[in-house]
Structure formats: C-alpha cells, structure tokens
Amino acid sequence: MQNSKLIRLLPLLFVLLFPATLYAQSASDVNVSGSIAPDKIKKGRVVRGTVVMEIPAGLHVQSNRPLDKYLIPTKLDLETPSGMQAGPVSYPRAVMRNLKFSKGAVAVFEGHATLRFNVTVPANYNGGSGEIKGKLRFQACNDESCFPPVIREVKMWLNVE
C-alpha cells in the first residue's frame, strides 16, 4: 500500500523538482520591489507598506495558501527597527488555474501582485529613520513545472519626524 502511494507521488515530485534550467524563464524573472507611503511620518502614526511582485507572462507564483501541500506558499516576513510594529500582511486574491502538472486547480498569483501591511511608529519612538526589511519567499512556476523556491530581500526606508 505504501509503495503505491509513493509511485503515485513520483510524477508530481518529478515535475516540482525538474531542473528549471531547461526553460527560458525562471524565478529570477519575477521582479520584487517595496515601498512605504508616505515615506515621512510623525511619531504615533501608521503608514502603509507594499511589496509588489511583477510576474511575467508565462509564469505564475504559488499563492500564500496553495491548494496542494507539496507547493510552496508565498510568504512575506517583515523586520522593523526596535519599537516599530509591522501588522499582518494582506495578500492579493489568488487566481485559480488548471495546469499540466496538477490534477486539480491551483491557487496562484499572476501579473502584478501587491502585498500590503501597516507599520506603526509609536509616540515614544527614538529614531529619526528606520529600515523595514522584507524577506519574500515564493515559488514560481510555468504551466509545466515549478522552480525551486527563492527568497528575495526588499528594503524600505521610513523617515520619522
């Protein structure tokens, strides 16, 4: 019984781990940028942060809640200067696609995907500025296979008055 499950999983694992070098596109084609708006704030206020993924045509990125446990979710981890607080990340709505490597639909991000979060600067914050660092982990795929997951760092500056 165990061998039959393993045999059924092998094609999926092969597709997920198949070397991406055989394809013209790769995860490195996904551009990631971040910003804080406004970039200057008074103490005791909240600002909006965004991280944008520009995913070229022919690629998609697994959503933050993939439907298959073998797919890697998109996840943004934030690091703020001591005293500042980052709120929860809001991910875009996933698009449902039927792809060659999956029997069922998969939940993906395509095109322009914007992740949003708030940063709170406390009234007693001592610094004049701060760097918010984001680490975005994602798995890009084309219609036939997935590339190994990558982590991209994004740095955003916030000036405090």
Side-chain angles (χ1 to χ4, degrees), residues 10-74:
L10 283 177
L12 178 62
L13 290 174
F14 177 76
V15 167
L16 294 176
L17 300 175
F18 192 73
T21 55
L22 298 177
Y23 298 97
Q25 290 183 313
S26 72
S28 64
D29 292 332
V30 177
N31 291 319
V32 177
S33 62
S35 63
I36 301 290
D39 62 354
K40 187 179 278 188
I41 187 173
K42 294 185 184 289
K43 294 178 182 179
R45 300 280 173 99
V46 176
V47 294
R48 172 66 62 127
T50 58
V51 171
V52 176
M53 302 175 75
E54 294 292 343
I55 306 161
L59 289 181
H60 59 269
V61 170
Q62 299 303 321
S63 76
N64 58 309
R65 294 182 182 187
L67 301 178
D68 189 324
K69 66 181 179 180
Y70 297 104
L71 299 174
I72 307 297
T74 295

Side-chain angles (χ1 to χ4, degrees), residues 36 46-49 78 80 85-90 116-120:
I36 301 290
V46 176
V47 294
R48 172 66 62 127
L78 297 164
T80 59
Q85 293 275 334
V89 176
S90 173
R116 293 181 170 85
F117 58 93
N118 288 331
V119 176
T120 303

Side-chain angles (χ1 to χ4, degrees), residues 121-134:
V121 179
N124 63 351
Y125 183 73
N126 292 327
S129 66
E131 181 181 56
I132 291 103
K133 296 179 187 176

Side-chain angles (χ1 to χ4, degrees), residues 92-115:
R93 181 176 293 191
V95 176
M96 303 305 290
R97 292 283 181 239
N98 290 312
L99 303 171
K100 292 178 184 176
F101 68 84
S102 179
K103 290 182 180 179
V106 293
V108 300
F109 299 142
E110 296 177 331
H112 182 91
T114 302
L115 291 65

